[in-house]
Amino acid sequence: MVRAAVLPAVGAPLEITDIELPEPGPGRVRIRLAAAGVCHSDLSLTDGTMRLPVPAVLGHEGAGTVLAVGEGVTHVAPGDGAVLNWAPSCGECHHCRLGEVWLCASALTGAGGVHARTADGTQLHPGLNVAAFAEETVVAANCVLPAPDGIPLTDAALLGCAVLTGYGAVHHSARVRAGETVVVFGVGGVGLAVLQSARLAGASTIVAVDVSPEKEELARAAGATDYLVASATTAKDVRRLTEGQGADVAVECVGRAVTIRTAWESTRRGGRTTVVGIGGKDQHVTFNALELFHWGRALSGCVYGNCDPVRDLPVIADHVRAGRFDLGSLVTTRITLDGIPAAFDDMVAGRGGRALIVF
């Protein structure tokens, strides 16, 4: 039996309880978690914005140590460090054949399986495949990436979602070029990773926008050259900071219609807006046909940073080891499993960066 954070039903409070994990069968791996990040996607599962089977063990951003492997697993062994990959690619579907592994049609099929049981025998699903809000987890082998050498596992946990998403949004989706101007909406864990990644890409002006004035120091430490508290004049303020033109690139990390629209309006004619934030079906963004023609701007969604974790994790690890990317600065709170509900409250209120569960 291990302790875990269980979502009994959509809209219900989390329960921190004991669960019973099976031994790893063929093609599966058991991992003892070192740390897990609390991501907005976990909150989106609790309120029904994202729909996956419940009851479920939440958590999808984590790292730990391999305890045991099932038959056929050869890329990791007991004692190895591991980073969890919540969206593994099948390598066979249409998108995988195109090289768009972040859009794999089978990426979340594992979330429908039986992951564990409670003491009374209730079957539990793995919320986003990997069930990282637990002392230990058992996952499919393709959800396990060897942890990069030289990076503590507590820091490496952030690589599994926030950093891959933020890095990829800049380098793969928006494709920021040296000297370009960038505006980032939302200074949470992913937004902080976007800011650092924009700095890595050589952006000249990097504007951070958030509803909270208290996040300015965090944003500037991550690479922001300017900071704006969100208001009705945000798009105009961004143009003022970018020689009257608007930013070359906007990255939206909030998932709200008004923020997406403002991000689009904050870019120059011909600018590019990448939407990372996960919004609800009730968030409708509207444009008129004439402005779409006139401004010539591009608007695109971004899933998992348009990343291939197998390819991108070693690249990011090199930046971390060289001191060009600071994983620790994304974390503003270190908690236990019992602190997850308060971390959710902080996200809703717009407080802090990443909350990290340390086991």
Side-chain angles (χ1 to χ4, degrees), residues 1 131 197 199 347 356:
M1 302 292 283
S197 299
R199 183 186 63 198
M347 277 194 288
L356 187 69

mmCIF file of all heavy atoms in Angstrom, residues 1 131 197 199 347 356:
data_model
loop_
_atom_site.group_PDB
_atom_site.id
_atom_site.type_symbol
_atom_site.label_atom_id
_atom_site.label_comp_id
_atom_site.label_asym_id
_atom_site.label_seq_id
_atom_site.Cartn_x
_atom_site.Cartn_y
_atom_site.Cartn_z
ATOM 1 N N MET A 1 0.837 -1.195 0.000
ATOM 2 C CA MET A 1 0.000 0.000 0.000
ATOM 3 C C MET A 1 0.875 1.250 0.000
ATOM 4 O O MET A 1 1.879 1.314 0.721
ATOM 5 C CB MET A 1 -0.914 0.026 1.225
ATOM 6 C CG MET A 1 -1.820 -1.184 1.353
ATOM 7 S SD MET A 1 -3.106 -1.295 0.082
ATOM 8 C CE MET A 1 -4.265 -0.077 0.668
ATOM 9 N N ALA A 131 -0.011 8.769 -13.073
ATOM 10 C CA ALA A 131 -0.415 8.771 -11.668
ATOM 11 C C ALA A 131 0.730 9.150 -10.732
ATOM 12 O O ALA A 131 1.107 8.409 -9.829
ATOM 13 C CB ALA A 131 -0.986 7.400 -11.284
ATOM 14 N N SER A 197 12.986 29.973 -21.943
ATOM 15 C CA SER A 197 13.231 29.449 -23.283
ATOM 16 C C SER A 197 13.340 30.583 -24.301
ATOM 17 O O SER A 197 14.134 30.493 -25.253
ATOM 18 C CB SER A 197 12.119 28.476 -23.675
ATOM 19 O OG SER A 197 12.078 27.374 -22.778
ATOM 20 N N ARG A 199 14.503 33.514 -23.656
ATOM 21 C CA ARG A 199 15.848 34.059 -23.430
ATOM 22 C C ARG A 199 16.892 33.182 -24.114
ATOM 23 O O ARG A 199 17.818 33.688 -24.761
ATOM 24 C CB ARG A 199 16.128 34.134 -21.927
ATOM 25 C CG ARG A 199 17.470 34.762 -21.560
ATOM 26 C CD ARG A 199 17.711 34.658 -20.068
ATOM 27 N NE ARG A 199 17.786 33.263 -19.640
ATOM 28 C CZ ARG A 199 17.641 32.854 -18.375
ATOM 29 N NH1 ARG A 199 17.385 33.718 -17.419
ATOM 30 N NH2 ARG A 199 17.734 31.574 -18.074
ATOM 31 N N MET A 347 -3.256 28.160 -7.606
ATOM 32 C CA MET A 347 -3.340 28.288 -9.067
ATOM 33 C C MET A 347 -4.579 29.070 -9.474
ATOM 34 O O MET A 347 -4.516 29.942 -10.343
ATOM 35 C CB MET A 347 -3.345 26.898 -9.721
ATOM 36 C CG MET A 347 -1.963 26.312 -9.907
ATOM 37 S SD MET A 347 -1.953 24.892 -11.030
ATOM 38 C CE MET A 347 -2.751 23.667 -10.025
ATOM 39 N N LEU A 356 5.827 22.002 -5.968
ATOM 40 C CA LEU A 356 6.503 20.720 -6.175
ATOM 41 C C LEU A 356 6.286 19.832 -4.954
ATOM 42 O O LEU A 356 6.635 20.209 -3.832
ATOM 43 C CB LEU A 356 7.991 20.935 -6.407
ATOM 44 C CG LEU A 356 8.802 19.700 -6.792
ATOM 45 C CD1 LEU A 356 8.437 19.220 -8.191
ATOM 46 C CD2 LEU A 356 10.308 19.998 -6.716
#
